[in-house]
Amino acid sequence: MSDGTPADRFLEAAIGLLQRVREEEAESIAAAGTLLADTVAAGGRLFAFGAGHSSLAAQDVVYRAGGLALMNLLAAPGMVGVDVMPATLGSALERVDGLASTVLDCSPLRAGDALVIISLSGRNAMPVEMAMTARARGMKVIGVTSVAYATETRSRHSSGTYLKDHCDVVLDSKIAIGDAELTLDTVPAPFAPASTVVTSALMQAMVATAATSLAERGAEPPMLRSGNVDGGLEWNERVFEEYGDRIFYRR
């Protein structure tokens, strides 16, 4: 890593991680994008889930200009962000056994749908149980996680397994344990996390692959346009009307 400014060092680290996932995760990204395209072509619905900061990457592909209109957010109260008080509640809920099954019970997810589960560590009860339960119910699961955690931490799920163990496709973000890219003698803890940058890039690469795959099959991918360009709102209304039975963020 260079001896430049902290900003230079962080950006270099982030670029290095992006280069790694580009080179090492290409096949998995292609498989994940194809899985989403297969689901759309078969009439299924798409969902994304993440707890805490992992939810940022999930939200980034929902109701998104340039994104698939069919991607819905699977949300659990108190776990979607840091707006809940206290913010530590979300972290605590992620470790509660049985909660994931309840979230799925109350969701519109059904057999034939695809669910993307984002969890950096993949060790907590919520993502593990959600993946296990979803697959048992006939859903396809894509996991976005750092596989390194499974070799250097202990699972917090009763099965002793991790998110990566219960997915049809796994995207490895390559993020190191602790999610901090920089250290400095005068700063008491490692700092500058890059997981959001890398995970969001993986998600967008997957969605881009899905859209291209659908187009290659002769189908028009249900894409959204920016509402801030002329004709964008009208375009989106047409997509919403055509695919309204598979879009849940407008209900």
Side-chain angles (χ1 to χ4, degrees):
M1 187 174 291
S2 72
D3 296 324
T5 67
D8 288 336
R9 293 172 60 209
F10 172 75
L11 291 171
E12 185 174 330
I15 290 169
L17 286 163
L18 290 171
Q19 289 175 332
R20 280 194 66 193
V21 299
R22 179 184 184 182
E23 296 167 1
E24 299 173 21
E25 296 300 300
E27 290 186 10
S28 294
I29 293 170
T34 300
L35 189 156
L36 293 185
D38 290 345
T39 302
V40 172
R45 296 87 59 81
L46 310 179
F47 295 82
F49 171 84
H53 288 96
S54 290
S55 181
L56 296 174
Q59 294 179 58
D60 192 46
V61 294
V62 176
Y63 185 45
R64 177 71 161 157
L68 283 170
L70 305 192
M71 186 65 76
N72 300 278
L73 183 68
L74 177 60
M79 301 183 67
V80 179
V82 294
D83 56 335
V84 62
M85 295 297 290
T88 52
L89 175 61
S91 299
L93 289 174
E94 195 175 1
R95 298 191 290 269
V96 175
D97 288 334
L99 183 56
S101 296
T102 301
V103 171
L104 289 173
D105 288 342
C106 298
S107 79
L109 273 152
R110 65 190 183 192
D113 291 345
L115 173 61
V116 184
I117 302 175
I118 305 166
S119 173
L120 179 60
S121 72
R123 67 187 295 220
N124 288 310
M126 173 62 82
V128 175
E129 181 186 324
M130 182 169 286
M132 293 175 67
T133 305
R135 291 186 82 194
R137 296 181 182 184
M139 305 158 199
K140 296 294 185 180
V141 174
I142 298 169
V144 186
T145 186
S146 172
V147 172
Y149 275 82
T151 63
E152 300 184 40
T153 67
R154 288 191 302 174
S155 171
R156 288 176 173 153
H157 187 260
S158 57
S159 67
T161 61
Y162 296 78
L163 169 61
K164 72 175 186 65
D165 299 318
H166 306 285
C167 300
D168 295 282
V169 181
V170 174
L171 302 183
D172 183 3
S173 64
K174 315 295 181 180
I175 299 296
I177 307 298
D179 191 17
E181 296 301 319
L182 303 184
T183 59
L184 199 62
D185 291 343
T186 54
V187 178
F191 59 104
S195 61
T196 303
V197 174
V198 178
T199 303
S200 291
L202 282 168
M203 294 290 288
Q204 294 297 347
M206 176 182 63
V207 171
T209 301
T212 303
S213 178
L214 286 167
E216 289 173 345
R217 305 175 194 195
E220 180 181 306
M223 311 303 295
L224 294 176
R225 293 189 175 186
S226 172
N228 295 313
V229 300
D230 291 343
L233 293 175
E234 292 77 12
W235 172 279
N236 292 343
E237 282 301 320
R238 178 183 67 81
V239 174
F240 292 151
E241 182 175 352
E242 183 174 352
Y243 294 95
D245 61 331
R246 291 195 265 176
I247 295 173
F248 298 91
Y249 50 82
R250 297 187 75 235
R251 299 181 182 179

